[in-house]
Amino acid sequence: MAETTAPTDIVPFRIDIPQAQLDDLRTRLGMTRWPDELPGTDWEYGASLSYVKSLAEYWRTGYDWRKHEAALNELPQFVTEIDGATVHFLHLRSPEPDAMPLILTHGWPGSIVEFLELVGPLSDPRAHGGDPADAFHVVVPSIPGFGFSGPTREKGWNATRVARAWHELMRRLGYERYAAQGGDLGAIISPTLGRIEPEAVIGIHVNAASVGFIPLGPVSDEFKAQLTAKELKRLDKINWFMNEGFGYNKVQSTRPQTLAYSLSDSPVGQLAWITEKFKEWTHPSAELPEDAVDRDTLLTNVMFYWLTGTGGSAARIYYENMHVLDWFPSASSPVPTGVANFFEDAAIRRFAEELNHITHWNEYEQGGHFAALEAPQLLLGDIREFFRTLR
């Protein structure tokens, strides 16, 4: 009889994309029906036509998925089923016996690719010139609906449900107490995890923090009077973003299925949808996305959406979050929380302290929204610094 696996089993996983799928991608890229573009607009109206054409051509003729697939398969990967969803994850157990368990959560339009430069130094600092006392047992799951954890098969996968799944994942791995880190959606899911499992979560570290760390509505003059000049600039940035940069969120939180047809059928559509955010959200000194994050890393991240057909499925978490607001913080978290604010981040300490137990806060002039890719050494150092206080 063939062996069967129980839903709670943890099964080793390797990425093995059929060649026919890669051939289909190249064919589609070669047959792209390109839109027009108003002269002189460049990135003003969205993703630049000349840039997307150039990157798509490199994707078709220069990018080597097999090289990156092989590198990913050098890392220990697993899948398990939690609450009816597939969860794909990396799990690097540290050789250091006193290592702290740590779950890292990516954001949108990211993936576990964001953390590939960090997992080695975090799990085995001794081998990377670091202090072995800073070691972590590292768990890096793909959010249900994203990449090889997708697509989701039922409604309701919002931040709270993901957080509950993360607790179950860590329990299955034998970690009764653990730390959590994340950026973007990860900076929503990780604090939510701390709120629902405060006895299990040792501490929370975030970057690219938004909900619970920034005001999402009008701010009183009295509150503004307490802000520094830098914080007032952040408030202006938040207001600009809500007026000019929020379109993707409105679509994904209201009509993700309509968007899914384009993202699933057109690799260039998926590429442009993601790459525009790497242009807008990285450090402003980067003229092009690849000046902040190298082209192969950008494309490997896009491939996690394209090869798994999860562009629409990943977008659904915005819909679920907006339609079931049980993840939205209504009381202060008791869990020690650290914030790394990079140049493009908008968190404001005075506001964050109302809803979080802030014990660590660092400001950086480098990096942007994708700190794990733009400034991995700074983020690595900040994570280590914060969790040293909790060991």
Side-chain angles (χ1 to χ4, degrees):
M1 290 179 63
E3 270 191 46
T4 59
T5 59
T8 56
D9 286 351
I10 292 172
V11 181
F13 180 84
R14 281 179 62 83
I15 302 172
D16 186 14
I17 300 300
Q19 185 59 41
Q21 202 172 342
L22 302 180
D23 294 341
D24 174 73
L25 170 60
R26 290 193 180 92
T27 298
R28 288 170 181 265
L29 288 168
M31 296 177 65
T32 301
R33 182 185 181 194
W34 294 99
D36 71 327
E37 181 181 71
L38 293 174
T41 54
D42 197 25
W43 292 87
E44 183 184 353
Y45 282 62
S48 159
L49 179 60
S50 61
Y51 180 74
V52 175
K53 275 188 172 181
S54 172
L55 189 56
E57 182 60 15
Y58 174 72
W59 194 9
R60 188 178 73 86
T61 61
Y63 172 79
D64 182 0
W65 164 254
R66 293 299 185 201
K67 180 179 78 171
H68 299 284
E69 182 183 72
L72 285 158
N73 283 332
E74 290 178 4
L75 299 170
Q77 299 174 66
F78 305 88
V79 291
T80 191
E81 184 179 314
I82 300 176
D83 194 14
T86 297
V87 176
H88 164 253
F89 62 98
L90 308 178
H91 183 203
L92 289 83
R93 282 196 61 85
S94 176
E96 308 297 339
D98 296 327
M100 178 186 287
L102 172 67
I103 185 166
L104 300 169
T105 307
H106 64 84
W108 182 91
S111 66
I112 64 169
V113 172
E114 292 183 56
F115 296 115
L116 296 182
E117 291 296 312
L118 295 182
V119 292
L122 284 170
S123 62
D124 193 0
R126 188 191 302 267
H128 293 81
D131 184 345
D134 286 326
F136 296 91
H137 300 305
V138 179
V139 180
V140 190
S142 297
I143 296 171
F146 288 69
F148 296 98
S149 287
T152 45
R153 297 185 288 272
E154 60 184 8
K155 297 171 67 174
W157 275 101
N158 71 344
T160 297
R161 192 168 176 181
V162 175
R164 290 196 181 104
W166 279 190
H167 179 66
E168 172 61 16
L169 175 61
M170 296 302 273
R171 189 197 64 78
R172 285 186 196 178
L173 293 172
Y175 301 132
E176 296 301 322
R177 297 200 74 228
Y178 52 87
Q181 199 283 332
D184 187 76
L185 284 171
I188 296 174
I189 293 165
S190 300
T192 302
L193 180 55
R195 284 184 168 86
I196 63 176
E197 296 291 346
E199 298 303 315
V201 179
I202 298 165
I204 297 157
H205 183 278
V206 295
N207 63 286
S210 57
V211 177
F213 296 84
I214 65 172
L216 294 176
V219 174
S220 69
D221 291 339
E222 183 181 357
F223 185 83
K224 285 182 183 178
Q226 302 174 49
L227 301 182
T228 66
K230 181 183 283 188
E231 288 171 334
L232 287 169
K233 285 183 70 174
R234 288 208 181 116
L235 199 59
D236 289 340
K237 182 185 294 185
I238 293 165
N239 291 333
W240 178 92
F241 174 76
M242 296 301 289
N243 289 317
E244 293 289 335
F246 207 58
Y248 78 96
N249 191 305
K250 281 292 189 183
V251 174
Q252 295 190 159
S253 62
T254 59
R255 296 295 182 269
Q257 186 62 34
T258 305
L259 175 66
Y261 298 102
S262 300
L263 300 185
S264 297
D265 188 60
S266 169
V268 166
Q270 180 70 83
L271 178 68
W273 191 245
I274 287 177
T275 304
E276 185 222 343
K277 297 309 167 197
F278 277 84
K279 162 65 175 173
E280 289 199 344
W281 296 349
T282 51
H283 194 280
S285 64
E287 185 177 344
L288 296 172
E290 65 201 56
D291 296 330
V293 178
D294 74 85
R295 286 192 299 178
D296 273 28
T297 302
L298 282 170
L299 291 172
T300 301
N301 181 63
V302 172
M303 287 291 257
F304 263 64
Y305 290 80
W306 176 256
L307 294 174
T308 58
T310 52
S313 177
R316 284 200 290 264
I317 194 171
Y318 284 80
Y319 184 98
E320 305 295 354
N321 280 344
M322 290 305 297
H323 288 78
V324 183
L325 289 170
D326 62 355
W327 53 274
F328 197 91
S330 57
S332 183
S333 170
V335 179
T337 300
V339 177
N341 235 22
F342 291 86
F343 186 81
E344 281 296 290
D345 293 342
I348 295 173
R349 182 162 188 165
R350 284 169 177 79
F351 185 83
E353 286 176 337
E354 295 177 5
L355 294 167
N356 303 277
H357 178 35
I358 303 295
T359 61
H360 167 100
W361 189 287
N362 277 333
E363 302 274 347
Y364 297 98
E365 291 302 307
Q366 300 98 325
H369 189 82
F370 304 97
L373 295 173
E374 295 179 71
Q377 291 305 310
L378 287 179
L379 181 58
L380 173 66
D382 207 274
I383 292 169
R384 287 172 170 171
E385 179 186 339
F386 170 62
F387 285 112
R388 278 178 199 141
T389 67
L390 300 174
R391 289 183 184 269

